[in-house]
């Protein structure tokens, strides 16, 4: 039964409602779906074995996803401005965490996800931002391909920090630290990315350094710097601006073809590659280009 049922009944009786009507109303309107599901699971267990609980949970999860209405969820949240208590009870269970992750991906703007409130609170101080990025990084490392929901929240954190606090250097430094790299630590790709962020301009020397690091790693088969460094908007956007900016800004000079090829290769690498090790087929394709 709904957690608020008891308080609603108390208010009804205090307002002069008849106890008999209370019982009739509860019996006619209460469906008890959760209780029936638990009873069914208990009865089917001896017949189908312990796996029946997981099967029922997966079925319920699919039904939740199919019938979820973000507008209804938002209206419920607006009434109390608090998450339902059952959310905290769901989080420790893998199947329900997966359900919440999927809903957060499909309905990113739903107030029910509390994403904006989380991001605002985390980005209020540099210390909390660092701790949050460290935690999310650890979770992503542990979950791998299953961490799509966490990765989206992590990206939102970085975007919020960049847009609202104008601290690209902080964001990139933390990203580099999480990747095991340090600005000024002798890695030319890191120093080039930091220079582009600081100057808000993709100078030819910095782009050449990035190209030598990433393209050289592809050709030699060595481990390339993390692609997230190159994919960072404060690094990638100036590179794109240098290549294609002349199409919409008359003040931007068109690059020479040999330079444009280097810029375009980096853009393609950022768009297509992951942090996974490069297989032979990918290496051959990248080398040809």
């Amino acid at each position: 039964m709904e957690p608020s049922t008891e308080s609603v009944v108390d208010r009804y009786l205090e307002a002069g409602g008849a106890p008999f009507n209370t019982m009739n109303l509860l019996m006619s309107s209460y469906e008890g779906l959760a209780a029936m599901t638990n009873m069914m699971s208990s009865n089917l267990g001896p017949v189908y074995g312990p796996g029946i609980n997981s099967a029922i949970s997966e079925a319920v999860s699919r039904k939740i996803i199919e019938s979820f209405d973000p507008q209804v969820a938002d209206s419920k949240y607006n009434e109390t401005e608090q998450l339902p208590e059952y959310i905290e009870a769901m989080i420790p269970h893998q199947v329900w965490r997966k359900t919440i992750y999927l809903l957060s991906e499909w309905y990113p703007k739903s107030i029910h996800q509390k994403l904006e409130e989380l991001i605002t609170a985390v980005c209020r101080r540099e210390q909390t931002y660092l701790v949050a990025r460290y935690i999310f990084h650890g979770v992503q490392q542990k979950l791998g391909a299953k961490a799509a929901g966490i990765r989206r929240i992590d990206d939102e954190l970085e975007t919020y920090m960049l847009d609202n606090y104008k601290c690209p250097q902080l964001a990139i430094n933390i990203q580099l630290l999480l990747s095991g790299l340090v600005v000024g630590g002798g890695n030319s790709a890191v120093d080039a990315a930091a220079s582009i962020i600081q100057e808000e301009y993709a100078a030819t020397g910095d782009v050449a350094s990035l190209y030598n690091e990433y393209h050289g790693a592809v050709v030699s088969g060595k481990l390339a710097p993390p692609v997230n460094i190159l994919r960072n908007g404060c690094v990638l956007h100036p590179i794109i601006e240098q290549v294609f900016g002349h199409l919409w800004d008359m003040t931007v000079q068109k690059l020479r073809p040999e330079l444009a090829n280097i810029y375009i290769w980096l853009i393609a690498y950022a768009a297509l590659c992951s942090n996974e090790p490069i297989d032979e087929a990918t290496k051959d394709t990248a080398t040809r280009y």
Side-chain angles (χ1 to χ4, degrees):
M1 195 173 290
E2 289 293 327
S4 60
T5 300
E6 185 176 349
S7 61
V8 172
V9 170
D10 288 340
R11 291 200 302 270
Y12 176 78
L13 295 176
E14 290 173 358
F20 182 76
N21 290 340
T22 303
M23 295 303 299
N24 283 337
L25 290 170
L26 287 174
M27 287 187 295
S28 62
S29 60
Y30 176 60
E31 297 180 359
L33 297 178
M36 285 192 290
T37 301
N38 289 336
M39 183 177 67
M40 182 177 67
S41 176
S42 177
N43 292 337
L44 292 176
V47 179
Y48 293 98
I52 188 62
N53 290 336
S54 299
I56 292 176
S57 296
E58 291 289 347
V60 173
S61 174
R62 288 195 298 270
K63 192 63 179 178
I64 291 174
I65 293 173
E66 291 173 4
S67 59
F68 181 77
D69 188 334
Q71 294 182 345
V72 173
D74 288 350
S75 64
K76 292 290 186 182
Y77 172 75
N78 285 332
E79 292 176 2
T80 61
E81 295 189 352
Q82 293 182 347
L83 284 176
E85 294 181 0
Y86 59 78
I87 295 293
E88 295 185 5
M90 294 171 67
I91 291 176
H93 302 279
Q94 182 179 7
V95 64
W96 305 129
R97 285 200 306 272
K98 179 181 176 181
T99 304
I100 294 173
Y101 293 157
L102 286 173
L103 291 175
S104 69
E105 291 178 35
W106 293 353
Y107 305 99
K109 300 302 181 183
S110 176
I111 300 175
H112 191 66
Q113 306 307 323
K114 296 270 282 181
L115 183 55
E116 292 184 5
E117 182 177 330
L118 169 66
I119 292 173
T120 303
V122 166
C123 293
R124 195 168 296 159
R125 297 176 181 274
E126 293 181 1
Q127 295 89 337
T128 53
Y129 177 76
L130 171 60
V131 171
R133 292 295 305 277
Y134 177 78
I135 292 173
F136 286 140
H137 177 77
V139 173
Q140 291 179 63
Q141 293 290 101
K142 184 176 181 180
L143 297 181
K146 298 180 180 179
I150 295 296
R151 191 172 297 110
R152 185 181 71 80
I153 297 175
D154 195 35
D155 290 341
E156 290 284 347
L157 279 176
E158 186 174 57
T159 301
Y160 187 92
M161 175 64 74
L162 293 172
D163 291 346
N164 293 274
Y165 292 96
K166 309 299 181 184
C167 296
Q169 200 67 43
L170 171 64
I172 191 66
N173 280 344
I174 289 178
Q175 186 180 96
L176 293 171
L177 285 171
L178 294 175
S179 302
L181 302 171
V182 180
V183 175
N187 187 302
S188 59
V190 173
D191 293 339
S195 176
I196 292 174
I197 291 173
Q198 185 173 357
E199 300 297 331
E200 298 182 356
Y201 175 78
T204 303
D206 292 331
V207 173
S209 295
L210 290 173
Y211 178 81
N212 290 336
E213 286 291 331
Y214 286 101
H215 186 266
V218 171
V219 173
S220 65
K222 296 180 180 179
L223 184 64
V227 71
N228 287 339
I229 298 173
L230 183 61
R231 195 173 287 157
N232 184 289
C234 294
V235 175
L236 191 58
H237 289 172
I239 294 176
I240 295 174
E241 181 73 20
Q242 286 296 100
V243 180
F244 302 108
H246 68 278
L247 298 176
W248 56 79
D249 188 346
M250 298 296 294
T251 63
V252 178
Q253 294 183 354
K254 187 176 180 179
L255 290 173
R256 300 195 308 273
E258 61 271 22
L259 285 179
N261 290 337
I262 293 176
Y263 282 69
I264 292 173
W265 190 94
L266 288 172
I267 295 170
Y269 185 93
L272 299 176
C273 291
S274 69
N275 280 323
E276 299 298 324
I278 299 176
D279 57 28
E280 287 301 319
T282 304
K283 177 182 175 181
D284 292 342
T285 301
T287 303
R288 286 199 302 272
Y289 289 98

